[in-house]
């Protein structure tokens, strides 16, 4: 992420904004860019989950399996959905295994689907060791196809990230949120 952002500052959110999409779509980076530029609160759901559990995700998968991780993920999502509105970067599988997660997000807030291809995601993630679900490019290509309908069903809007900078994507999201009356000047 670049540091030469212009600070538009002084905005607030009327409801939580959830970023969904495959690993490497830019959910964390785009929400951080928006937070810095517009003075909004943001949080990465997986980082919050790791802090709460005092364990890294790779260890949670190794110790409790994917099911164990998904239980914690739903609990964290409920927790974040009930707090004061902020930008929330979600894990890539959040809407794909637990239908209730889609309900939690759509009931509480606005859901932005950041779209990316598996090939572009692989280029953006130099080290996939911390992402147990990435495995390899072939698997990632299949997983994206399987997940696509879930992302689309959960999303209020879809934003293409392929070949675009974090700042370009963030600006598109900012104008969507302002048009929707979700991001408001103080
Ligand atoms: C996962 C994506 C990861 C993390 C976990 C599972 C997935 O988050 O939640 O490793 O199933 O796609 P990111 O999308 O932030 O990498």
């Amino acid at each position: 992420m670049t540091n030469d952002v212009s600070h538009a500052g002084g905005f607030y959110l009327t409801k939580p904004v959830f970023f969904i999409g495959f690993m490497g779509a830019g959910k964390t980076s785009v929400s951080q860019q928006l937070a810095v530029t517009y003075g909004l609160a943001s949080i990465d759901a997986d980082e919050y989950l790791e802090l709460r559990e005092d364990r890294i995700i790779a260890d949670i998968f190794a110790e409790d399996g994917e099911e164990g991780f998904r239980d914690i993920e739903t609990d964290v999502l409920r927790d974040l959905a009930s707090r004061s509105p902020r930008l929330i970067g979600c894990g890539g599988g959040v809407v794909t295994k637990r239908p209730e997660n889609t309900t939690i997000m759509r009931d509480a807030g606005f859901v932005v689907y950041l779209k990316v291809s598996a090939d572009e995601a692989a280029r953006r993630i130099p080290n996939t060791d911390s992402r147990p679900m990435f495995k390899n490019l072939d698997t990632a290509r299949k997983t994206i196809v399987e997940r696509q309908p879930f992302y689309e069903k959960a999303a209020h809007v879809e934003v293409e990230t392929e070949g675009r900078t974090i700042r370009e994507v963030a600006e598109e999201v900012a104008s969507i949120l302002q048009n929707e009356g979700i991001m408001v000047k103080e």
Side-chain angles (χ1 to χ4, degrees), residues 10-186:
F11 282 80
Y12 68 93
L13 296 172
T14 58
K15 55 171 84 167
V17 176
F18 299 92
F19 289 90
I20 62 165
F22 201 63
M23 292 165 272
K27 296 159 291 183
T28 307
S29 307
V30 169
S31 66
Q32 278 174 359
Q33 174 79 28
L34 285 166
V36 172
T37 309
Y38 295 98
L40 298 166
S42 81
I43 190 160
D44 181 72
D46 281 340
E47 263 179 44
Y48 180 56
L49 183 153
E50 288 184 334
L51 194 72
R52 248 186 52 166
E53 285 294 299
D54 204 12
R55 284 188 292 171
I56 60 168
I57 287 173
D59 287 349
I60 300 173
F61 267 80
E63 289 161 18
D64 302 350
E66 187 182 351
E67 278 304 301
F69 171 76
R70 298 294 172 203
D71 287 343
I72 304 167
E73 186 177 48
T74 297
D75 199 42
V76 164
L77 199 61
R78 254 187 234 293
D79 178 354
L80 292 174
S82 69
R83 291 178 184 269
S84 55
R86 66 194 77 212
L87 304 161
I88 302 164
C90 298
V94 74
V95 295
T96 63
K97 299 281 166 72
R98 303 278 164 102
E100 67 195 288
N101 293 357
T102 298
T103 311
I104 293 168
M105 289 191 285
R106 289 186 64 99
D107 282 358
F110 189 75
V111 185
V112 179
Y113 169 28
L114 299 183
K115 299 178 78 168
V116 70
S117 68
D119 294 64
E120 173 77 18
R123 282 191 287 274
R124 291 181 190 171
I125 307 172
N127 175 6
T128 53
D129 289 353
S130 63
R131 286 160 157 113
M133 295 301 287
F134 198 93
K135 299 198 174 95
N136 58 56
L137 188 50
D138 269 355
T139 314
R141 285 185 183 133
K142 287 189 197 112
T143 311
I144 278 199
V145 173
E146 281 163 22
R147 289 181 171 185
Q148 186 92 355
F150 295 95
Y151 291 137
E152 287 172 359
K153 190 164 170 250
H156 289 103
V157 289
E158 298 179 16
V159 176
E160 187 55 69
T161 73
E162 198 87 8
R164 303 176 74 193
T165 65
I166 292 165
R167 193 197 284 210
E168 283 166 355
V169 174
E171 284 314 306
E172 184 177 342
V173 174
S175 57
I176 293 168
L177 296 179
Q178 288 182 78
N179 287 339
E180 293 282 337
I182 294 164
M183 191 177 130
V184 181
K185 188 113 180 92
E186 275 170 349

